[in-house]
Amino acid sequence: MQLFASFINTFTDPESVFNELKEKNNWQTCAMPLVVLMVVGAISLVVLKDLYYDVQLEQSIEWIENSSQIPDEQKEEALENVYESFENPGTVSVAIMWLSNILAGPLRVIFFTLIVLLIVKFFFGESAKYSELLPYISYAYLVTVLETIVKTHITFRSEERRVGKECRTG
């Protein structure tokens, strides 16, 4: 229950969360924010998966049609291969899509912490440790959860309206 309270307090009373981190700061403290980022990434993918496929398909088709690297005789075959790969995606491509979406948030936190550590050590000469900074950065990064939820909702709704208009006019 304390983890849930910390999550809510990150948005409503961040001072108390970060003061608590000062007292009890270890790398295990950042597990909850990282798990939340993974869950939000997975939910976002579930909601927007069809839109991701549509955008990727459109970009692939546009690239093939406008590519000067592909001879005109081979463009039709390349387009057929693209359509086939999107209709029947392979296990590896599906796994990569899921893993990249689920791990994107935690990887951003990990790399951002490395950048902050480099700045603190080289520019300020402080003797900070990665394990001390990671909880602060992971809790601070929870703000992006709200951003992701809002963006996912807006994107889903706008796509839903676009498809609805196409069905009515088509």
Side-chain angles (χ1 to χ4, degrees), residues 26-152:
N26 58 39
W27 67 270
Q28 296 154 334
T29 314
C30 66
M32 183 275 295
L34 297 179
V35 169
V36 168
L37 291 170
M38 292 169 76
V39 169
V40 168
I43 291 170
S44 176
L45 180 61
V46 167
V47 171
L48 299 176
K49 184 173 64 173
D50 292 336
L51 180 61
Y52 288 163
Y53 277 132
D54 291 346
V55 169
Q56 286 179 342
L57 181 61
E58 288 173 15
Q59 289 174 346
S60 297
I61 291 169
E62 183 180 336
W63 185 84
I64 290 171
E65 289 175 346
N66 297 331
S67 176
S68 61
Q69 298 173 352
I70 302 174
D72 289 338
E73 314 80 56
Q74 293 179 349
K75 285 185 179 181
E76 192 62 39
E77 183 182 336
L79 287 172
E80 288 176 18
N81 289 339
V82 166
Y83 287 126
E84 175 64 29
S85 69
F86 276 92
E87 288 174 12
N88 302 311
T91 307
V92 173
S93 63
V94 171
I96 289 171
M97 180 178 65
W98 278 97
L99 285 174
S100 63
N101 243 17
I102 290 171
L103 297 177
L107 286 174
R108 280 189 218 119
V109 169
I110 290 167
F111 286 114
F112 191 70
T113 305
L114 283 172
I115 292 168
V116 169
L117 181 66
L118 289 173
I119 291 170
V120 166
K121 283 195 178 243
F122 288 122
F123 293 114
F124 299 110
E126 297 291 323
S127 62
K129 294 180 183 173
Y130 184 84
S131 60
E132 293 171 349
L133 287 175
L134 187 59
Y136 289 107
I137 302 295
S138 62
Y139 272 89
Y141 207 80
L142 279 178
V143 173
T144 64
V145 168
L146 291 178
E147 173 192 2
T148 303
I149 291 169
V150 169
K151 282 182 177 178
T152 300

